[in-house]
Amino acid sequence: VLAWFANELALAWVHDRIPRNGVRPLPDLWFSLFPEITNSILVTELIMITLIVALFIVIFCHQYRWIVIRRIFFCAALCYTFRAFCIVIFQVPVPSEKTYCAPKSNGSLNIIISRVLRTFWSVGIEQLRPRELCGDLIVSGHTISLFMAALALKQYCPKKFFCLAELCYCATFVAITCILLARKHYTIDVVLAYCLTTRIFWTYHSLSYSYHQGDFDQIPLNQSIWAFMVPYLEADAPPPQYFQNQWKLSSNCSQYFRKRSP
């Protein structure tokens, strides 16, 4: 939540600083090869919402749900914290001349806070609230959410749902294609988001594995500035050989469904 709030705060602040006044979008190879299809962002967000809902179902049903939640949310928080940092330090023109950007203001604290309060609840989904703030380009937030959900589904789905997890992973690339067709991001934004999300997710799980194997201090990956959090987050997690992706409803849910059944 704090990481997402940082993103909204960064966007509210940077909106008044992006280049405008007839400044054309930056050159992009994708834009020169494919036409702009504005409504394709709808496909992206439908896929993204579907993947996130599927992920929450998997988390809720997983026998180690609280461990899985910690891992995924920590990785997502790192990604979005880095994204907020990039938004603040690097401003580029919007990728499409059809993109609406609200008028600039004096950038006062009251205006920034009001912007955050207006946009925070929509979590970046344009179907919930039409875009009016511009500037959150470098590192695509949609791409982070898509790949984080796809990677987590692939990592934590039971083996019998392996094909479904692979299908979700393929759907992610369809969604990313639609982001670029809608010209909501430059190609570099999507590439950076992919690199960031996959590296953080894979690095965390590699560190987690090393921690449980007892060689955490011997691998170069532990030099990451956030690696010190891994032993804390993994303290009560079972070793990899005992961590099975099996579904198990909590006792409260089981009792509820038994009471509801005739």
Side-chain angles (χ1 to χ4, degrees):
V1 175
L2 291 177
W4 183 251
F5 178 79
N7 275 256
E8 294 297 323
L9 187 62
L11 173 58
W13 178 81
V14 84
H15 173 76
D16 297 315
R17 291 162 175 79
I18 61 169
R20 299 196 199 182
N21 299 326
V23 177
R24 293 180 58 82
L26 299 177
D28 189 291
L29 179 61
W30 180 277
F31 297 167
S32 65
L33 295 176
F34 301 98
E36 181 177 358
I37 306 176
T38 307
N39 292 332
S40 63
I41 191 64
L42 175 61
V43 177
T44 295
E45 295 190 337
L46 286 175
I47 293 175
M48 184 175 70
I49 292 172
T50 301
L51 292 183
I52 292 174
V53 170
L55 176 59
F56 273 102
I57 292 173
V58 169
I59 292 174
F60 177 76
C61 296
H62 202 284
Q63 64 174 339
Y64 297 117
R65 59 184 64 86
W66 294 113
I67 296 171
V68 175
I69 286 174
R70 286 203 305 262
R71 291 175 176 176
I72 296 173
F73 276 50
F74 180 72
C75 291
L78 287 176
C79 290
Y80 277 102
T81 300
F82 181 81
R83 179 175 183 261
F85 176 73
C86 290
I87 290 173
V88 170
I89 65 173
F90 198 65
Q91 296 95 47
V92 296
V94 293
S96 172
E97 296 177 350
K98 299 179 182 179
T99 299
Y100 170 76
C101 295
K104 288 187 177 183
S105 69
N106 59 9
S108 66
L109 181 61
N110 288 337
I111 291 176
I112 291 174
I113 292 175
S114 66
R115 286 172 177 170
V116 172
L117 294 177
R118 286 201 313 271
T119 60
F120 184 80
W121 65 272
S122 64
V123 293
I125 299 176
E126 294 189 16
Q127 308 311 313
L128 296 179
R129 180 181 178 84
R131 170 183 290 272
E132 61 178 57
L133 301 181
C134 300
D136 57 338
L137 292 173
I138 297 301
V139 186
S140 165
H142 282 69
T143 305
I144 289 175
S145 297
L146 285 162
F147 271 108
M148 188 60 65
L151 290 167
L153 284 169
K154 195 172 182 179
Q155 180 77 20
Y156 295 111
C157 260
K159 289 183 178 180
K160 60 183 177 181
F161 296 122
F162 175 78
C163 292
L164 180 60
E166 290 294 332
L167 181 63
C168 291
Y169 204 80
C170 294
T172 299
F173 288 94
V174 175
I176 289 171
T177 301
C178 292
I179 292 175
L180 296 174
L181 288 174
R183 298 198 180 180
K184 296 299 181 181
H185 281 280
Y186 293 102
T187 307
I188 188 62
D189 305 340
V190 171
V191 172
L192 286 175
Y194 168 80
C195 293
L196 172 67
T197 309
T198 53
R199 268 55 196 175
I200 285 181
F201 189 90
W202 291 335
T203 298
Y204 180 90
H205 286 79
S206 296
L207 288 170
S208 169
Y209 182 85
S210 298
Y211 170 77
H212 291 292
Q213 295 300 108
D215 57 357
F216 180 81
D217 295 328
Q218 301 175 20
I219 62 172
L221 289 177
N222 73 358
Q223 298 178 34
S224 301
I225 60 174
W226 49 266
F228 71 94
M229 289 292 296
V230 174
Y232 171 75
L233 295 171
E234 295 293 321
D236 61 344
Q241 60 268 30
Y242 299 116
F243 191 98
Q244 302 296 324
N245 289 327
Q246 296 178 354
W247 284 8
K248 180 181 178 182
L249 292 176
S250 65
S251 57
N252 291 336
C253 291
S254 301
Q255 293 173 7
Y256 173 79
F257 285 116
R258 280 198 295 268
K259 290 179 181 178
R260 299 283 295 182
S261 60

